[in-house]
Amino acid sequence: MPPVSHRPVDNLDDDDYPAYTMGRAAEMLSTTPAFLRALGEHRLITPLRSEGGHRRYSRYQLRIAARARELVDQGTPIEAACRIVILEDQLEEARRINERLRAQDSEPQSKASA
């Protein structure tokens, strides 16, 4: 019996795997391909390209695009929406780093008191 490959399942489970075409991504977000291209022009998301040169989006990128669309729908200019989303993402990453550092700092203290 040949070995079972888990690669396709792994790719589908991967938040960064570029699984969605531009058309499908636009449909999922109820937006237009032009909106997705604009997000790329403002450097919010950079889709990977297929061998044929077509844009492909990951689930992570779709979440970012959905947040930008939410802001634009509320009247925020697209340039500002992209900047807000970038700053929100940076803030979340800083919070994760701080939490990890706090956890590392508390480890030696708890071992020393044991």
Side-chain angles (χ1 to χ4, degrees), residues 5-6 9 15 18-20 26-27 31 41 45 47 62-63 65 73 75-76 97 99 105:
S5 172
H6 294 289
V9 173
D15 242 13
Y20 304 99
E27 180 183 308
T31 191
E41 290 167 13
I45 55 175
L62 293 184
R63 281 196 303 275
D73 286 351
T76 306
I97 291 169
E99 186 60 36
D105 284 346

Side-chain angles (χ1 to χ4, degrees), residues 22-33 36:
M22 176 180 273
R24 180 68 181 128
E27 180 183 308
M28 291 169 69
L29 297 172
S30 300
T31 191
T32 63
L36 292 173

Side-chain angles (χ1 to χ4, degrees), residues 80-108:
C82 290
R83 187 68 183 137
I84 289 167
V85 173
I86 288 167
L87 290 170
E88 287 174 342
D89 198 47
Q90 289 173 344
L91 178 59
E92 184 57 36
E93 178 63 18
R95 286 179 174 157
R96 281 192 296 268
I97 291 169
N98 282 340
E99 186 60 36
R100 188 174 61 238
L101 291 173
R102 283 189 191 121
Q104 288 174 357
D105 284 346
S106 66
E107 270 183 30

Side-chain angles (χ1 to χ4, degrees), residues 18 20-23 33 36-37 40-41 47-50 53-57:
Y20 304 99
T21 63
M22 176 180 273
L36 292 173
R37 281 191 294 275
E41 290 167 13
L48 289 168
R49 298 282 183 150
S50 68
H54 300 283
R55 290 174 179 90
R56 304 286 295 202
Y57 297 88

